[in-house]
Amino acid sequence: MTYYHHIGLFPADMEPRDQVVSPRQLCLELLAAYASDRDPVPSRGLVDALEDFDVSLSAARAAITRLARRGLLRVERSGRNTSYAVVPEVLEGIAGMDRATREFGLAERAWDGTWALAVFNLGGPASAQAYKMRNTLRWLGFGPLRDGVWISPHAELSAGIPSLEESSADGELLLFRAQAEYGRVDLERAFPLRRIREDYEAFIERCRDLHYRLRAGEVSDHEALVQRTDLISVWRRFPVIDPDLPASLLPSSWPRRRAREMFETVDQALRAPATRRARRLLWREDADAEAAATGAVALAR
């Protein structure tokens, strides 16, 4: 399995590890995660939900407007009220990405020693075309052996060929599979394994601390929604920065499995309070009922 569907959801000119969830991405994520099986979300509810993530009113409205203009949101109007839902094509793409990233690290992948190789010549390493090619290859799980030669143990070339063809344009690009007959691949040069390990360890520590606070009842519904959304975003980066090397090539005690287990544990614990908070914001669930009850009490007095 490759993770090429990230290409369509994150800017191609940003490093995977440095991705920041923009208001537009956040809007799509919230609708996909908490509103895909419900009626379209009123504009007011969507703005309120984005405010939970410190998105200003103007930025929230701008994000919603841009998504609608690009055809990524379905717009429904009833009088002066406007509601939004993610269009099926985008919803399917997000669901596919979510399935892929949640399967990442689930089991060790078999490897027969064959490497996928990408060799390209695009007018020099500093050219805009070479820059675009490197980003595409990185998203597909490749790492650089040297300028113009990238390698991956698992990349499904057929799935990534359209993106690679677009990146190569008029340059030269060769894709093939091969087994090493002599020597060893310098994995640390191709893939920053030390830095990836540090990212996993930091993620594990964050999940562990959050898990303790959840058990102590110290996490509000608001924080649960924010933390769960951010943790999912962070976990989705690992299939991009981690080449998913075969176990025989990895350093000892590789932390991917521990990170996955901690993520699953915390994500499950956050799911109910995060959903409760999201639906209260998106549809004013409970809030309207509380307001009505408060009004009834006032009238009774």
Side-chain angles (χ1 to χ4, degrees):
M1 178 180 297
T2 54
Y3 302 90
Y4 57 90
H5 16 62
H6 285 271
I7 295 172
L9 293 176
F10 296 116
D13 59 347
M14 295 178 66
E15 292 288 339
R17 70 189 325 108
D18 297 329
Q19 296 293 348
V20 176
V21 180
S22 70
R24 279 176 287 177
Q25 294 164 357
L26 185 57
C27 183
L28 292 175
E29 294 283 0
L30 289 171
L31 290 175
Y34 302 105
S36 61
D37 60 342
R38 305 276 300 249
D39 293 333
V41 175
S43 177
R44 181 190 66 174
L46 194 48
V47 169
D48 287 348
L50 291 172
E51 187 180 5
D52 248 26
F53 296 83
D54 296 325
V55 177
S56 68
L57 176 62
S58 60
R61 288 177 173 172
I64 296 168
T65 299
R66 289 171 185 165
L67 288 171
R69 286 177 178 172
R70 291 179 57 191
L72 303 180
L73 294 182
R74 187 179 82 252
V75 183
E76 293 190 6
R77 292 183 173 86
S78 177
R80 300 178 62 182
N81 298 320
T82 305
S83 299
Y84 299 90
V86 181
V87 299
E89 296 82 0
V90 174
L91 193 61
E92 182 179 347
I94 294 175
M97 184 175 68
D98 191 58
R99 285 192 301 270
T101 52
R102 287 183 180 278
E103 290 171 3
F104 180 70
L106 189 61
E108 296 293 342
R109 301 170 65 185
W111 186 57
D112 63 0
T114 301
W115 295 89
L117 293 169
V119 181
F120 59 91
N121 180 6
L122 302 175
S127 70
Q129 197 173 5
Y131 180 75
K132 183 177 181 181
M133 172 63 75
R134 289 194 296 271
N135 276 303
T136 301
L137 287 168
R138 188 176 291 114
W139 284 111
L140 290 169
F142 283 81
L145 285 182
R146 55 186 55 84
D147 286 343
V149 181
W150 287 55
I151 192 169
S152 169
H154 294 307
E156 297 172 6
L157 296 179
S158 59
I161 283 177
S163 297
L164 292 171
E165 286 180 335
E166 180 182 350
S167 299
S168 62
D170 297 328
E172 298 178 12
L173 171 65
L174 291 174
L175 301 173
F176 55 93
R177 297 187 180 277
Q179 291 190 336
E181 295 292 336
Y182 176 77
R184 298 181 59 187
V185 174
D186 187 347
L187 295 175
E188 187 58 45
R189 177 176 180 176
F191 307 103
L193 297 181
R194 187 176 298 107
R195 189 175 174 188
I196 294 170
R197 178 189 285 274
E198 291 172 356
D199 285 354
Y200 272 130
E201 296 291 356
F203 184 76
I204 291 169
E205 188 62 27
R206 176 181 174 182
C207 288
R208 183 181 292 117
D209 290 345
L210 187 55
H211 182 54
Y212 291 150
R213 294 182 56 231
L214 280 162
R215 294 180 62 181
E218 298 174 354
V219 178
S220 66
D221 288 2
H222 159 72
E223 185 182 359
L225 176 61
V226 174
Q227 289 278 9
R228 182 172 187 245
T229 303
D230 190 57
L231 284 177
I232 291 173
S233 175
V234 173
W235 179 252
R236 281 179 174 167
R237 299 170 198 169
F238 283 114
V240 183
I241 65 173
D242 181 354
D244 196 11
L245 295 175
S248 60
L249 300 177
L250 285 170
S252 60
S253 303
W254 188 245
R256 182 197 301 130
R257 183 177 294 275
R258 285 189 291 124
R260 177 188 171 80
E261 290 172 351
M262 285 299 303
F263 169 65
E264 288 181 334
T265 298
V266 174
D267 179 64
Q268 184 61 37
L270 290 171
R271 185 184 303 271
T275 300
R276 187 165 55 241
R277 176 66 177 179
R279 292 188 168 176
R280 175 169 183 168
L281 291 168
L282 294 173
W283 289 283
R284 305 289 295 173
E285 286 187 359
D286 299 330
D288 289 339
E290 289 175 6
T294 301
V297 171
L299 288 172
R301 290 177 179 174

